């Protein structure tokens, strides 16, 4: 179980980088409805993997890399499986 000190440090890290990461993801996704999900997933992955980072790692750059990879994967998925609207499925 994580100590409250580590959780507190991570909460401070989230608060510090929240605005810029959210805006970055919003720009990459062009303000789509998935922005919030990708944002939350970025910090969830960072939380799960932060113990593996070296002490001298650039955490800001690492966080941007996580966000970039998630957005790229999301955009690839959209290209392979485009959304189909109800008006295309249901006859009028």
């Amino acid at each position: 179980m994580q100590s409250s000190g580590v959780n507190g440090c991570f909460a401070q890290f989230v608060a510090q980088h929240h605005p810029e990461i959210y805006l970055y993801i919003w720009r990459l996704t062009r303000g789509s409805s998935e922005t919030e999900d990708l944002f939350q997933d970025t910090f969830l992955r960072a939380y799960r993997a932060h113990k593996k980072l070296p002490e001298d790692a650039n955490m800001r750059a690492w966080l941007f890399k996580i966000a970039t990879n998630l957005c790229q994967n999301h955009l690839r998925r959209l290209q392979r499986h485009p959304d189909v609207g109800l008006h295309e499925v249901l006859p009028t």
Side-chain angles (χ1 to χ4, degrees), residues 31-66:
S32 76
S33 59
E34 285 85 14
T35 301
E36 186 68 31
D37 292 338
L38 292 166
F39 171 75
Q40 290 177 5
D41 202 20
T42 298
F43 282 98
L44 179 62
R45 288 182 186 212
Y47 182 77
R48 288 179 177 164
H50 79 278
K51 291 185 278 186
K52 299 175 189 174
L53 272 179
E55 290 291 321
D56 62 342
N58 183 342
M59 291 186 66
R60 182 178 178 270
W62 174 67
L63 195 57
F64 272 97
K65 185 64 176 171
I66 294 171

Side-chain angles (χ1 to χ4, degrees), residues 62-76:
W62 174 67
L63 195 57
F64 272 97
K65 185 64 176 171
I66 294 171
T68 300
N69 290 341
L70 284 171
C71 290
Q72 285 176 340
N73 290 342
H74 170 72
L75 294 173
R76 282 188 200 117

